[in-house]
Amino acid sequence: QVQLVESGGGLVQAGGSLRLSCAASGRAFSSYGMGWFRQAPGKEREFVAAISWTGVTTYNAESVKGRFTISRDNAKNTVSLQMNSLKPEDTAVYYCAAYDRSASIWSNWGQGTQVTVSS
């Protein structure tokens, strides 16, 4: 099991950038795939980006391709989401999640961090 804590959210103008970080504690962080999800008010939680346990493979939602970059540092037990060219529609609570490869589920979630993009 891993425990996840996000940071780095805030208020930014459209076109600006933010970098979200997720610190993991617990054992075997490097064995988990990691991802970011977001939930806007009144909407379902949606996938944003993911990275394999090795860090070699990344996945991005179409809506963020070319703007967001996910990365991880297994030595520091962290995963980050660099968000550039932010749009008002990126406003949401962003969640870090850990993917349990043996169970094929997103097994652990952080508490979320608010990102607000003003127009």
Side-chain angles (χ1 to χ4, degrees):
Q1 290 286 328
V2 290
Q3 292 77 48
L4 305 173
V5 178
E6 302 95 336
S7 61
L11 173 64
V12 64
Q13 288 188 331
S17 298
L18 279 176
R19 186 177 180 86
L20 304 184
S21 294
C22 176
S25 59
R27 63 188 185 93
F29 167 78
S30 61
S31 69
Y32 288 84
M34 297 297 298
W36 289 93
F37 291 74
R38 67 187 181 185
Q39 187 167 19
K43 294 188 176 181
E44 299 278 325
R45 187 173 298 188
E46 65 174 1
F47 169 78
V48 174
I51 188 166
S52 63
W53 64 283
T54 61
V56 171
T57 305
T58 61
Y59 311 86
N60 290 280
E62 283 296 324
S63 59
V64 305
K65 278 185 178 178
R67 301 189 298 123
F68 291 11
T69 302
I70 188 171
S71 60
R72 68 187 295 162
D73 185 337
N74 285 343
K76 296 182 178 179
N77 282 13
T78 59
V79 60
S80 299
L81 185 69
Q82 178 66 42
M83 306 186 295
N84 298 327
S85 302
L86 282 161
K87 304 175 182 180
E89 52 264 43
D90 294 319
T91 295
V93 177
Y94 283 70
Y95 297 90
C96 175
Y99 186 78
D100 185 326
R101 295 183 295 132
S102 62
S104 300
I105 59 170
W106 293 98
S107 58
N108 299 86
W109 296 81
Q111 83 289 349
T113 185
Q114 176 71 45
V115 171
T116 303
V117 185
S118 63
S119 58

